[in-house]
Amino acid sequence: MKKNLLFTLVAVFASVVAYGQKTAGNPIFEGDYADPEGVVFGKTYWIYPTYSAAFDDQLYFDCFSSKDLVNWKKHERIIDQSSISWLRRALWAPAAIEKDGKYYLFFSCNDVHPGEIGGIGVAVADKPQGPFKDLIGKPLINDIVNRAQPIDQFVFQDKDGTYYMYYGGWGRCNVVKMADDFKSIVPFEDGTMYKEVTPKNYVEGPFMFIRDGKYYFMWSEGGWTGPHYKVAYAISDSPFGPFERKGVILQQDEEVARGAGHHSVIHNPKSDKYYIVYHRRPLESNKRDNRVTCIDEMHFAPNGDILPVKMTFEGVNKDKL
Ligand code: FUB
């Protein structure tokens, strides 16, 4: 009886501590997850990461939701091999958007090389947590154009409502225009289908957001398997660039972690706070797939430049939308 009472008291104390938790702590959830795409749907924060494991085991995505950036709920297997007939391996780098009450999840798979089936696909669901089903039953982009491997897609809505997709590995980045139903890509006004926008030192993981009317284009540099992975950025007046590299804003810190990169940015319009969601490798590890998802606040200089991000173990404070 006494033992039970003690157990109950400990459990109550633990949940009070957990409830009162003020900062997220980094990593924000357990497990090896990389390439996190942070996005806001309604009053909920969502993170869609790659399941970081051997390529042959990367056959599904989990995602995570939170009301406050601190307490995260896991949603398992929001899409898997049963709903993508052409998925063989290496399901990577999800990108999620909402349009007209439907949720679209863009993904890449198979680590595609010339002559192979794979590349960027798109799935749809009625809820952010899925279940997602392949929308077209084949890749949206299979070909290697401008030497860019079709991976690491990011779908961006411009000021006029047009959706563009930035993508590319192997050190090259393309932008394409999306059809309204996301079932295909469509020509730009000049008739071209692909525009190369590769900035200096670009490797992969493009991301775009607008702040004060300017286009902030960001990407990862270095090799994702090593310690020197990092994030750099450019500011432009156009979604097509030119993207002149301004500098690195996220990189390894000998006191905190290595291999920090492939990020996304979440903005809370109410508080006007910006958060960088990224993966990093713990200091004590040199395992390729031991990548964990973290969030830290991103700050700007008065002239609009992004200030170097200080990676932390504490993470961010509670932030309700
Ligand atoms: O997680 C698989 C690959 O690693 C991504 O596509 C790259 O951006 C790198 O993060």
Side-chain angles (χ1 to χ4, degrees):
M1 183 70 179
K2 265 189 182 167
K3 215 175 176 186
N4 278 350
L5 183 66
L6 185 66
F7 181 78
T8 308
L9 284 174
V10 169
V12 168
F13 180 71
S15 57
V16 166
V17 168
Y19 186 75
Q21 192 184 350
K22 287 251 167 40
T23 61
N26 277 326
I28 52 171
F29 38 73
E30 274 182 26
D32 288 343
Y33 290 99
D35 319 324
E37 164 119 339
V39 56
V40 174
F41 293 136
K43 292 192 170 193
T44 307
Y45 293 101
W46 291 84
I47 291 182
Y48 297 83
T50 298
Y51 164 54
S52 190
F55 291 4
D56 288 343
D57 296 334
Q58 293 179 305
L59 298 171
Y60 65 89
F61 286 144
D62 298 327
C63 80
F64 299 82
S65 63
S66 173
K67 292 282 181 200
D68 58 8
L69 288 183
V70 169
N71 299 289
W72 290 91
K73 179 178 175 192
K74 182 174 178 176
H75 305 269
E76 290 188 9
R77 292 191 179 243
I78 60 168
I79 191 166
D80 64 20
Q81 215 177 6
S82 66
S83 53
I84 312 171
S85 62
W86 47 284
L87 166 62
R88 299 285 172 268
R89 66 203 296 261
L91 183 60
W92 287 349
I97 56 166
E98 184 273 332
K99 185 177 183 243
D100 301 332
K102 296 269 184 203
Y103 297 86
Y104 295 86
L105 191 69
F106 296 82
F107 56 88
S108 58
C109 58
N110 300 351
D111 182 25
V112 73
H113 289 73
E116 297 173 355
I117 303 288
I120 296 169
V122 55
V124 67
D126 292 329
K127 294 180 186 166
Q129 67 270 37
F132 286 91
K133 299 280 171 225
D134 192 350
L135 184 63
I136 54 174
K138 61 181 183 181
L140 194 59
I141 299 180
N142 190 157
D143 293 342
I144 285 134
V145 179
N146 299 328
R147 290 182 287 156
Q149 188 185 31
I151 62 165
D152 289 3
Q153 63 296 321
F154 173 67
V155 177
F156 163 76
Q157 188 177 25
D158 201 0
K159 297 167 193 170
D160 66 358
T162 310
Y163 287 91
Y164 298 109
M165 181 164 69
Y166 297 86
Y167 77 89
W170 296 343
R172 297 275 183 254
C173 185
N174 290 334
V175 58
V176 293
K177 188 174 169 182
M178 304 299 302
D180 275 351
D181 59 7
F182 301 132
K183 288 183 176 173
S184 62
I185 60 172
V186 294
F188 291 102
E189 270 176 20
D190 63 6
T192 58
M193 296 292 281
Y194 297 82
K195 287 187 190 299
E196 188 182 345
V197 289
T198 312
K200 192 173 169 223
N201 293 1
Y202 172 94
V203 172
E204 58 197 11
F207 188 86
M208 173 76 95
F209 67 95
I210 297 174
R211 181 174 184 265
D212 291 343
K214 300 273 185 197
Y215 294 87
Y216 284 71
F217 188 60
M218 308 178 81
W219 61 90
S220 292
E221 300 180 350
W224 66 268
T225 56
H228 304 292
Y229 206 41
K230 46 172 114 41
V231 172
Y233 81 108
I235 301 177
S236 179
D237 292 324
S238 156
F240 310 120
F243 298 124
E244 202 161 310
R245 185 178 184 275
K246 286 191 83 91
V248 169
I249 56 105
L250 180 74
Q251 60 188 319
Q252 65 175 322
D253 177 339
E254 284 305 316
E255 307 276 296
V256 184
R258 302 198 179 92
H262 199 134
H263 75 299
S264 53
V265 173
I266 305 182
H267 178 225
N268 179 344
K270 259 193 185 169
S271 62
D272 200 27
K273 284 187 174 179
Y274 286 80
Y275 302 97
I276 184 164
V277 188
Y278 62 97
H279 75 240
R280 68 193 195 195
R281 190 170 290 106
L283 284 180
E284 65 280 7
S285 172
N286 58 11
K287 288 194 190 124
R288 184 192 72 170
D289 301 317
N290 189 193
R291 298 177 293 172
V292 294
T293 291
C294 300
I295 306 186
D296 279 299
E297 198 171 338
M298 201 170 83
H299 299 278
F300 296 83
N303 71 353
D305 285 359
I306 305 177
L307 295 172
V309 172
K310 169 77 189 120
M311 288 196 290
T312 68
F313 290 111
E314 296 78 32
V316 293
N317 286 314
K318 276 190 176 183
D319 189 28
K320 294 207 171 178
L321 280 161

